[in-house]
Amino acid sequence: MIEIQIHDDFDLDRIADSGQCFRWVKNDAGSYRIIHAEASLRIQPLENRTFAFSCSENEYRDIWHDYFDLGEDYRSVRKRVSPKEDPFLARACEYGKGIRILRQDPWETLISFIISQNRNIPAIKKSVELLCEAAGRRREDAWGSYCQFPSPEEILALPDEALAACRLGYRCRYVKAAAMDVAEGKLDLGRIQNEDEEEAIRALTSICGVGVKVANCVSLFGLHHIDAFPVDVWIRRILENEYPGGYPKEKYSPYNGIYQQYMFYYYRTLTGRGDKG
DNA sequence: TTCCAGGTGGACA
DNA sequence: TGTCCACATGGA
């Protein structure tokens, strides 16, 4: 267990509620359990911007510092927005202060956002958890057992009935197609992580069931291409209602993904979301 | 009960 | 190229 003081924007509740991660679990004491690839973490907010991490110094430096994107200065990114020139985005930045774009596992992000299509966030969380329990390896840590996110091979080994039991609906075949492409090496997530955003989108949309929106989510939340700009039903409403003259993407490059996330969180919370998950 | 959700593929003009 | 619709499911 180590204690780390974080000077930049960092709000666990807002990150957990920002629709980018589906497996964070909040405990009674206000701490979160987070599972990331092979690692698990318990993180507890303390006083004065300090957080207790249930890991070693080495693990923090090698895994969690990157996972929370603590090398980026989000305060500066927020300050780039002028309240006079763009009052809506300035309000969104202030409201969502503390959100960070996590550097999540690309494979988990791909499957999670394939599952996300045309569903609300509580339903996505439920299916992702069912999939982990059905196919992921069970592990133990100091707080009990949990399941890792299943590998492509583990998903492919799952009988059709077991996959259907994860309540994926018509997305079952999309999940299998993605697992097949990655298992066979047709899609190399490690390679596209180092490619530019355009090439990443092209490669991702070659998978059956992955369109432009899901590809942008994977690009942003899994490959950390922070200029990616996923447009879902909420962002479409924002663009229609708040930017009838057009959204100035060029102006906000290369941080469009971060601003997108502030706007998504702000608008969804403000206008009622139909879920409280 | 009805509406809607971090959409996409496929048919058709 | 653009538009329309079916697709599964569950939360509110």
Side-chain angles (χ1 to χ4, degrees), chain A residues 111 114-117 119 127 131 155-156 158-180 207-209:
Chain A
I111 295 300
I114 287 174
I115 291 172
S116 80
Q117 58 184 266
R119 307 183 79 181
S127 275
L131 181 64
I155 287 177
L156 290 173
L158 214 53
D160 284 346
E161 315 81 68
L163 197 57
C166 301
R167 320 312 290 162
L168 304 182
Y170 65 90
R171 306 162 194 84
C172 271
R173 69 185 184 100
Y174 299 159
V175 169
K176 283 174 81 171
M180 192 75 81
I207 303 168
C208 178

Side-chain angles (χ1 to χ4, degrees), chain A residues 2-245:
Chain A
I2 58 170
E3 291 185 7
I4 302 282
Q5 190 171 36
I6 295 171
H7 299 283
D8 192 27
D9 299 351
F10 189 65
D11 186 315
L12 291 172
D13 288 334
R14 289 180 183 171
I15 296 171
D17 200 26
S18 70
Q20 58 177 310
C21 50
F22 304 110
R23 296 199 70 200
W24 282 31
V25 177
K26 189 173 189 178
N27 302 287
D28 294 339
S31 68
Y32 281 89
R33 172 191 242 165
I34 299 167
I35 302 158
H36 170 53
E38 306 275 312
S40 75
L41 176 76
R42 186 111 159 188
I43 179 168
Q44 169 86 49
L46 305 173
E47 297 296 308
N48 195 26
R49 296 180 163 276
T50 303
F51 295 81
F53 286 70
S54 67
C55 64
S56 66
E57 293 277 359
N58 284 349
E59 215 184 340
Y60 171 77
R61 190 188 58 231
D62 295 344
I63 300 173
W64 300 109
H65 180 273
D66 271 359
Y67 175 80
F68 291 111
D69 197 28
L70 292 170
E72 182 72 68
D73 182 353
Y74 280 71
R75 196 177 301 175
S76 297
V77 174
R78 281 191 294 109
K79 299 290 182 212
R80 287 165 54 104
V81 178
S82 158
K84 278 190 177 175
E85 291 176 19
D86 197 337
F88 174 79
L89 183 54
R91 283 200 307 276
C93 288
E94 182 59 31
Y95 191 85
K97 183 168 62 181
I99 291 174
R100 309 183 75 83
I101 304 295
L102 303 172
R103 293 176 183 256
Q104 300 185 83
D105 177 69
W107 163 248
E108 176 174 343
T109 308
L110 171 61
I111 295 300
S112 297
F113 279 95
I114 287 174
I115 291 172
S116 80
Q117 58 184 266
N118 212 23
R119 307 183 79 181
N120 59 27
I121 289 172
I124 300 164
K125 288 180 176 174
K126 187 174 178 183
S127 275
V128 170
E129 204 51 44
L130 285 170
L131 181 64
C132 292
E133 283 170 17
R137 272 165 289 177
R138 187 161 287 279
R139 291 290 176 89
E140 296 279 336
D141 66 13
W143 297 280
S145 75
Y146 63 94
C147 289
Q148 288 183 345
F149 195 84
S151 67
E153 292 77 11
E154 286 167 338
I155 287 177
L156 290 173
L158 214 53
D160 284 346
E161 315 81 68
L163 197 57
C166 301
R167 320 312 290 162
L168 304 182
Y170 65 90
R171 306 162 194 84
C172 271
R173 69 185 184 100
Y174 299 159
V175 169
K176 283 174 81 171
M180 192 75 81
D181 282 1
V182 173
E184 290 177 346
K186 196 173 149 195
L187 177 71
D188 184 342
L189 290 166
R191 180 185 66 80
I192 62 172
Q193 195 149 26
N194 299 315
E195 301 278 358
D196 61 29
E197 195 188 318
E198 196 177 335
E199 169 56 20
I201 299 292
R202 192 204 59 73
L204 288 164
T205 51
S206 73
I207 303 168
C208 178
V210 177
V212 173
K213 190 272 170 180
V214 168
N216 270 278
C217 284
V218 177
S219 193
L220 178 59
F221 304 125
L223 305 175
H224 206 71
H225 292 154
I226 56 166
D227 207 31
F229 193 80
V231 179
D232 70 335
V233 291
W234 294 97
I235 297 294
R236 190 166 297 121
R237 285 174 198 149
I238 291 168
L239 299 183
E240 285 170 6
N241 296 332
E242 306 293 335
Y243 297 93

